[in-house]
Amino acid sequence: MIHQANTKINLGLRILNKREDGYHNIETIFYPLPFGDELKIKISSSHTNSNSLKITSDNIYVPRDKTNICFKAIANFLKEFGIRSFFHFDISIKKVIPIGSGLGSGSSEAAEVIKHLVKFFNINIKQDGKKIMNVATATGSDVPFFLISKPCYATGVGDKLRILRNFKIDYKILVVVPKIHVSTAAAYKDLNIGEGYNEKLVFDKIEKFDIKDKELYVNDFEKVILPKYPEIKNIKDEMYGQGAELSLLSGSGAGVFGLYKNESDATSALKYFSDKGYFARKSV
């Protein structure tokens, strides 16, 4: 079965504090975008008394071993639902979204795998919804959002979600990713966040998108990523120069998005960044 994954932007990302487990509590608004990687998933009975997984991809940087998040999704699913039969899993990943972009493509792939497993094993979503979300949370902090794939206010490590049913961005969204890989671990290290940092919530009262609130939408990672990677800062500045009403780093990666009121400005900017050799994609 072929699955079309999607992706996301973070409309603001605030790092609240460091947790005892070494992770960080955050505050953000996740907003889904209708494009992403393509997965082909095939499950067959195993001829041995063990499970096996084969991962292939058109991108040499996609892990083929247990470090791949899709492997984690399968392992967590089988454990959570106590499945004792053995299977061979064959997953082919066609990468559309650059790795390290901050757009959540890996987590989105894992969510598509979980959705496929739910259908394959005839899991009752109403009865076992909590178990399904347990699988997603154990797999990765952004994976629960991609199971929902609706605008969400998120806290915790990104796993505590509240759907924002009236949140709609009536702008053309342009995403641009340069050929730069930004390490999330390094970005957190550069922020050097201790306990008690930035504890006050800012996005929790937001229910609808209003461009008048654009000063609220800050991404804390811009403090360390933009000075370290001038090319990413230039993209953000150029977006404003080409008519974007808001431009922001998405997540902790190299991806930058811009919101354009005018279709012509967004289309012109798309061509400009594409001609420069960047990954560039515009929402329909």
Side-chain angles (χ1 to χ4, degrees), residues 168-179:
K168 180 175 174 55
I169 299 177
D170 289 318
Y171 287 74
K172 296 300 177 183
I173 303 173
L174 175 65
V175 175
V176 175
V177 185
K179 295 177 181 178

Side-chain angles (χ1 to χ4, degrees), residues 192-207:
N192 192 27
I193 293 169
E195 294 181 3
Y197 173 90
N198 242 359
E199 288 189 340
K200 186 178 179 181
L201 299 176
V202 172
F203 307 144
D204 58 324
K205 299 297 190 296
I206 296 174
E207 297 293 337

Side-chain angles (χ1 to χ4, degrees), residues 171-228:
Y171 287 74
K172 296 300 177 183
I173 303 173
L174 175 65
V175 175
V176 175
V177 185
K179 295 177 181 178
I180 296 173
H181 184 275
V182 176
S183 165
T184 297
Y188 271 110
K189 185 177 180 180
D190 290 341
L191 276 177
N192 192 27
I193 293 169
E195 294 181 3
Y197 173 90
N198 242 359
E199 288 189 340
K200 186 178 179 181
L201 299 176
V202 172
F203 307 144
D204 58 324
K205 299 297 190 296
I206 296 174
E207 297 293 337
K208 296 181 179 181
F209 176 76
D210 190 334
I211 197 66
K212 295 177 182 177
D213 297 327
K214 64 181 181 179
E215 299 301 325
L216 294 177
Y217 296 118
V218 298
N219 184 331
D220 285 343
F221 283 111
E222 288 192 348
K223 302 171 187 175
V224 295
I225 291 178
L226 297 190
K228 193 172 184 178

